[in-house]
Amino acid sequence: MLILSAIQVEDMLNESDVSVNTLTESFTSIVEHMQCINEHLLALDPCKVREDALACCAETTGKIQASIIAFQFYDRMQQCLQHVTLNLKGLSELVEDPDRLYNPTEWRQFQHEIRSRYTMESEKLMFDAIVHGKSVKEALAIKSAHQEDQSDNIELF
């Protein structure tokens, strides 16, 4: 059942990649066209219509930039779901082997593998909290507190 869950998540990620790739290509094309329109407008003599059109181009470019930032969330979510998939597969392999299932060293190694996949400090803090017996609610609060402390900084993943 764990493998089935992992495969379902993995399949949805693969299917969503096609849509996101289409959107990315579309946004790239739109940006190129907006730049071209902007250049054509700048070549015209100054007038109210030209200025209004340039302002519209600038506003549209801003909205495109906001959309690109939203895609970064998708990338982050996809990375997280890939980790979940790997974790489910690893857990399935561990519990199906009785020699590994009851071996504390195997569990520690598995935990180490999970933690090593995390690229953001907030994820590592949340993982550590769970490993040290905190509740899910407490672990999420620790993660949120760290993210709030880092709100002025960009946390790369």
Side-chain angles (χ1 to χ4, degrees):
M1 300 299 353
L2 291 171
I3 290 291
L4 176 62
S5 297
I7 291 170
Q8 287 174 320
V9 171
E10 196 169 35
D11 186 49
M12 285 307 301
L13 287 171
N14 291 334
E15 286 182 28
S16 67
D17 272 349
V18 173
S19 296
V20 169
N21 289 339
T22 299
L23 286 169
T24 300
E25 290 171 10
S26 295
F27 274 110
T28 300
S29 178
I30 291 169
V31 166
E32 291 170 359
H33 284 91
M34 287 303 299
Q35 289 171 340
C36 185
I37 291 168
N38 199 60
E39 289 172 14
H40 289 304
L41 289 169
L42 288 171
L44 298 175
D45 291 333
C47 68
K48 172 128 175 60
V49 172
R50 174 185 175 247
E51 299 310 314
D52 288 348
L54 284 169
C56 185
C57 280
E59 184 178 336
T60 302
T61 299
K63 290 184 185 287
I64 291 168
Q65 294 300 325
S67 298
I68 290 169
I69 290 169
F71 278 129
Q72 291 173 338
F73 167 78
Y74 171 80
D75 284 341
R76 178 71 194 113
M77 179 193 67
Q78 184 179 34
Q79 183 185 63
C80 181
L81 289 173
Q82 287 169 341
H83 290 167
V84 168
T85 300
L86 288 171
N87 295 345
L88 287 171
K89 287 177 180 178
L91 180 59
S92 178
E93 291 168 4
L94 194 140
V95 299
E96 75 183 2
D97 182 348
D99 292 333
R100 293 182 67 206
L101 177 61
Y102 298 107
N103 184 335
T105 303
E106 290 286 342
W107 282 96
R108 281 191 295 278
Q109 176 62 32
F110 181 56
Q111 289 173 348
H112 176 73
E113 289 171 13
I114 291 172
R115 192 178 193 284
S116 70
R117 289 186 192 111
Y118 294 133
T119 55
M120 295 174 59
E121 187 62 27
S122 59
E123 292 175 316
K124 291 176 184 179
L125 290 171
M126 184 174 65
F127 176 84
D128 292 343
I130 292 293
V131 168
H132 291 100
K134 302 283 185 193
S135 69
V136 171
K137 185 176 180 179
E138 290 170 317
L140 288 171
I142 289 168
K143 179 184 179 203
S144 294
H146 176 75
Q147 288 173 327
E148 287 175 18
D149 290 344
Q150 300 297 313
S151 63
D152 292 340
N153 300 324
I154 295 174
E155 187 171 7
L156 301 174
F157 53 92

